[in-house]
Amino acid sequence: MQIAMLHAQWANGAMRGRVCALTRGVAALNQTSPSEETTMAVTVGQQAPDLELPLAGSQEKFKLSDYRGKQPVVLLFFPLAWTSVCTAEMCEVRDNYSKYTDLNAKVVGISVDSPFALAKFKAEENLPFDMASDFNRQAVEAYGAKYEDLLGFKGVAKRAAFVIGKDGKVLYAQVNEDVKQLPDFAAIQAALASA
């Protein structure tokens, strides 16, 4: 009975205007202005954007260009310190750190946490590699590794991994949309071995 009434209302045009207005509204929501578009992720073969970020527990800064011509660099972006998956990721690298040092790689964990929070996280988890704070979100923007909204947190880093060769070019790039998906550590190590 209700279906027949809806069909009759559709046929005489009573509902068409509402549906069209709703459709236009949804289409407008799906369009983004250039300022709202997501930055494309850095890709293999391109020159890596330079970074200068405060290091956890130090007055020093991590500057990617300081390693050009010296050694390859692994950049590991992660959403937030102390969350279960992020902690598991950083501890996985810690537990296998010799695989990276044997390949002469500099490893840097990067999140939007403050350098003070990262210093505590690094100490509590006994992480032997540097942690850099992208509190102002410059690196996540430059590398296309930023969630606009992750469970209500705006501008958090996506879980991403980049291997930068001694020449400053990207050898490996992985940006995960799924926050629970860890980087492919074997692929990262293979890229380092070929560097």
Side-chain angles (χ1 to χ4, degrees):
M1 179 101 166
Q2 288 182 336
I3 294 174
M5 282 181 21
L6 290 174
H7 185 357
Q9 288 177 346
W10 177 263
N12 74 18
M15 291 191 62
R16 283 190 200 152
R18 291 183 193 147
V19 172
C20 290
L22 180 61
T23 302
R24 283 192 301 273
V26 170
L29 287 173
N30 287 331
Q31 294 178 356
T32 58
S33 67
S35 64
E36 295 172 320
E37 289 179 5
T38 302
T39 306
M40 293 298 295
V42 171
T43 58
V44 172
Q46 81 176 80
Q47 196 69 30
D50 198 14
L51 300 175
E52 188 171 338
L53 301 171
L55 286 170
S58 169
Q59 295 294 322
E60 296 178 27
K61 292 192 176 203
F62 165 72
K63 190 169 183 183
L64 181 60
S65 59
D66 286 347
Y67 296 90
R68 191 165 295 154
K70 297 177 184 171
Q71 69 185 120
V73 177
V74 178
L75 303 176
L76 295 172
F77 289 84
F78 64 98
L80 294 166
W82 289 291
T83 57
S84 61
V85 180
C86 296
T87 301
E89 176 186 359
M90 294 299 112
C91 290
E92 168 72 21
V93 176
R94 176 200 64 204
D95 296 346
N96 293 287
Y97 190 57
S98 64
K99 292 180 180 180
Y100 300 93
T101 57
D102 289 350
L103 295 166
N104 192 36
K106 170 75 174 171
V107 177
V108 182
I110 302 171
S111 82
V112 300
D113 293 295
S114 76
F116 312 106
L118 287 174
K120 183 125 175 100
F121 179 61
K122 179 180 173 163
E124 284 184 6
E125 298 303 332
N126 197 29
L127 303 175
F129 49 90
D130 283 335
M131 303 294 285
S133 171
D134 188 25
F135 192 77
N136 294 321
R137 285 130 175 102
Q138 295 164 327
V140 293
E141 288 280 350
Y143 279 76
K146 181 180 88 169
Y147 284 114
E148 294 302 322
D149 185 315
L150 177 66
L151 304 172
F153 295 100
K154 309 287 186 203
V156 173
K158 290 181 179 177
R159 196 171 313 285
F162 299 91
V163 176
I164 314 302
K166 287 193 275 187
D167 61 358
K169 291 191 177 175
V170 178
L171 301 175
Y172 178 82
Q174 177 185 3
V175 179
N176 296 336
E177 292 301 321
D178 180 356
V179 72
K180 294 180 181 177
Q181 181 184 355
L182 292 176
D184 184 341
F185 297 114
I188 292 168
Q189 292 159 16
L192 286 169
S194 71

